[in-house]
């Protein structure tokens, strides 16, 4: 190789190296000033399991994986044939119970009439007793003087004792009528209790029928199906899994030195790998109180075996609502936390939001 060729090759190497250095200087990430820390993480959201309340067969699923759903939207329906049969049975029992109340009330009216008749008999027997007592008193006064025969005295005394016995019998009949009336009134209460219990059973069955349609509790996205139509599920059987798109955050890890300076509510910025042109504002909502080893899926600038703390930066719900249909979980990115509230955010971490989407 001639000297000229060697010179040209050296010049080319230097030119390439210089170009690479210039490109690295132009495109390398800007460093963080004092008072900030960063860590890698992923966008996550609260997961919600849509599950059955009662056991039964899954009749249909109304949404597909990846669908956006709104709060109150029906998601799936269970087969309600058995519950509807139970409701019809309970409705028939309710009619019988209502008739039982009417019968018991009529019996109460009958017992009240019997008691009134027994009380009238007591009044009659007391009148007879009073008349017999007065006749006996006169006979006892007149018989010793010979004004009336002693036979009449004996007859008046017997009539007096008979009238007294008749009063006791009539009063016993009143007591029996009162006991029968109390029993009849208790029967009305029992019949009414059966009516209320049957109505409660109907309401419970109807509630189970209503709960057989599974609704979305929040605005979110269907993550995956757990069951398929036709499957028989136990009570609490999972049908769908949703992510609550109103509660979205990024979980990341910081070493001990930085985590110890992170305050709940501290400002954070999120930059997603899929959309590095946007800087999303967030707030620290959780700092783990127990350190752990760095998970394998997370890269940090610290040594792998150093203990780190799990941090969670939550995106404001107001911001999420503006872009809720475009929010996607699982996206990796970087989280930046301001450790010193007096520190100014660098220019490349000033908030920059999309017009129509939160994350692409």
């Amino acid at each position: 190789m001639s000297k000229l060729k060697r010179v040209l090759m050296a010049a080319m190497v230097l030119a390439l190296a210089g170009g690479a250095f210039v490109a690295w200087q132009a495109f390398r990430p800007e460093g963080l000033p004092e008072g900030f820390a960063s860590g890698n993480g992923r966008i996550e959201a609260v997961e919600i399991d849509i599950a059955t309340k009662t056991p039964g067969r899954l009749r249909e699923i109304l949404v597909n994986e990846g669908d956006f759903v709104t709060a109150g939207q029906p998601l799936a329906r269970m087969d309600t044939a058995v519950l509807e049969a139970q409701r019809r049975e309970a409705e028939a029992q309710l009619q019988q119970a209502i008739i039982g109340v009417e019968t018991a009330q009529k019996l109460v009216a009958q017992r009240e009439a019997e008691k009134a008749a027994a009380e009238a008999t007591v009044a009659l027997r007391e009148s007879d007793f009073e008349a017999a007592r007065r006749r006996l008193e006169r006979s006892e006064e007149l018989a010793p003087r010979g004004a009336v025969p002693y036979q009449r005295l004996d007859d008046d005394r017997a009539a007096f004792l008979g009238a007294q016995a008749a009063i006791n019998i009539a009063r016993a009949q009143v007591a029996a009528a009162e006991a029968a009336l109390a029993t009849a009134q208790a029967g009305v209460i029992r019949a009414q209790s059966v009516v209320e219990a049957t109505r409660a059973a109907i309401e419970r069955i109807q509630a189970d029928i209503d709960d057989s349609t599974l609704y979305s509790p929040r605005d979110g996205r269907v993550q995956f199906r757990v069951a398929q139509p036709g499957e028989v599920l136990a009570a609490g059987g999972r049908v769908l899994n949703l992510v609550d798109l109103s509660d979205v955050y990024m979980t990341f890890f910081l070493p001990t030195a930085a985590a110890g300076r992170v305050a709940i509510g501290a400002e954070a910025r999120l930059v997603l790998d899929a959309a590095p042109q946007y800087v999303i504002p967030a707030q620290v909502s959780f700092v783990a109180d127990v350190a752990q080893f760095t998970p394998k899926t997370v890269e940090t600038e610290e040594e792998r075996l150093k203990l780190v703390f799990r941090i969670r930066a939550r995106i404001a719900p107001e911001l999420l609502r503006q872009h809720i249909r475009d929010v996607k979980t699982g996206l990796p990115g970087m989280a930046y936390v301001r450790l010193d509230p007096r520190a100014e955010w660098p220019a490349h971490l000033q908030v920059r939001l999309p017009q129509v989407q939160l994350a692409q």
Side-chain angles (χ1 to χ4, degrees), residues 256-326:
T256 303
R261 299 175 59 191
V262 176
I264 299 295
E267 288 189 50
R269 299 286 189 269
L270 308 180
V271 179
L272 304 180
D273 293 351
Q277 69 274 26
Y278 301 128
V279 179
I280 304 166
Q283 278 191 328
V284 174
S285 60
F286 172 81
V287 178
D289 57 355
V290 178
Q292 60 189 58
F293 287 102
T294 307
K296 294 181 180 179
T297 57
V298 177
E299 299 290 340
T300 68
E301 295 178 358
E302 304 295 327
E303 297 178 2
R304 239 173 151 42
L305 294 181
K306 274 199 171 182
L307 290 174
V308 295
F309 286 80
R310 183 163 57 94
I311 314 293
R312 181 179 294 173
R314 187 169 180 260
I315 301 173
E318 297 78 12
L319 179 59
L320 290 169
R321 279 194 289 269
Q322 298 174 18
H323 309 276
I324 193 166
R325 289 182 177 271
D326 303 304

Side-chain angles (χ1 to χ4, degrees), residues 8-328:
L8 290 175
M9 289 182 65
M12 290 176 62
V13 170
L14 290 174
L16 289 172
F21 178 77
V22 171
W24 179 79
Q25 287 288 344
F27 294 103
R28 70 182 179 92
E30 298 183 53
L32 284 176
E34 288 294 327
F36 293 89
S38 65
N40 289 340
R42 289 182 179 274
I43 292 292
E44 301 177 29
V46 172
E47 295 188 8
I48 302 173
D49 285 332
I50 305 300
T52 64
K53 179 183 176 182
T54 58
R57 187 180 302 278
L58 180 60
R59 188 171 69 188
E60 59 181 336
I61 298 179
L62 306 175
V63 292
N64 296 312
E65 293 179 351
D67 285 355
F68 177 83
V69 296
T70 57
Q73 177 180 338
L75 305 179
R77 293 190 178 95
M78 304 292 292
D79 192 306
T80 59
V82 174
L83 290 173
E84 289 170 355
Q86 291 175 350
R87 182 181 61 185
R88 291 193 297 271
E89 179 184 7
E91 288 172 346
Q93 292 173 347
L94 176 61
Q95 295 303 316
Q96 293 178 349
I98 291 173
I99 293 173
V101 170
E102 294 174 352
T103 302
Q105 289 173 340
K106 291 178 180 178
L107 183 59
V108 166
Q110 179 183 344
R111 297 301 183 226
E112 288 175 343
E114 291 174 352
K115 179 186 175 184
E119 289 173 341
T121 301
V122 168
L124 178 62
R125 296 294 179 252
E126 287 176 345
S127 176
D128 293 343
F129 173 78
E130 185 63 22
R133 184 184 63 79
R134 287 195 298 268
R135 285 195 301 268
L136 177 60
E137 289 177 350
R138 286 194 299 270
S139 297
E140 288 177 338
E141 182 181 351
L142 296 174
R145 292 183 293 175
V148 296
Y150 278 97
Q151 180 63 44
R152 182 174 175 179
L153 175 61
D154 293 339
D155 292 342
D156 290 343
R157 185 176 286 116
F160 171 78
L161 294 175
Q164 191 175 43
I167 287 178
N168 293 334
I169 292 172
R171 287 173 177 170
Q173 290 174 345
V174 170
E178 288 176 345
L181 176 60
T183 302
Q185 290 171 338
V188 172
I189 295 174
R190 284 195 299 271
Q192 290 173 339
S193 298
V194 173
V195 169
E196 293 303 318
T198 308
R199 283 176 175 159
I202 293 174
E203 291 175 1
R204 175 181 55 78
I205 295 170
Q206 185 61 51
D208 288 341
I209 292 174
D210 295 339
D211 288 335
S212 295
T213 299
L214 309 181
Y215 298 93
S216 175
R218 304 281 184 86
D219 293 347
R221 194 176 299 281
V222 179
Q223 195 162 225
F224 51 83
R225 289 185 176 188
V226 182
Q228 296 299 328
E231 293 185 22
V232 176
L233 304 177
R238 297 168 64 203
V239 178
L240 297 167
N241 178 271
L242 301 182
V243 288
D244 179 4
L245 298 183
S246 65
D247 193 354
V248 178
Y249 53 88
M250 177 178 283
T251 298
F252 58 100
F253 295 83
L254 292 179
T256 303
R261 299 175 59 191
V262 176
I264 299 295
E267 288 189 50
R269 299 286 189 269
L270 308 180
V271 179
L272 304 180
D273 293 351
Q277 69 274 26
Y278 301 128
V279 179
I280 304 166
Q283 278 191 328
V284 174
S285 60
F286 172 81
V287 178
D289 57 355
V290 178
Q292 60 189 58
F293 287 102
T294 307
K296 294 181 180 179
T297 57
V298 177
E299 299 290 340
T300 68
E301 295 178 358
E302 304 295 327
E303 297 178 2
R304 239 173 151 42
L305 294 181
K306 274 199 171 182
L307 290 174
V308 295
F309 286 80
R310 183 163 57 94
I311 314 293
R312 181 179 294 173
R314 187 169 180 260
I315 301 173
E318 297 78 12
L319 179 59
L320 290 169
R321 279 194 289 269
Q322 298 174 18
H323 309 276
I324 193 166
R325 289 182 177 271
D326 303 304
V327 177
K328 298 179 180 66

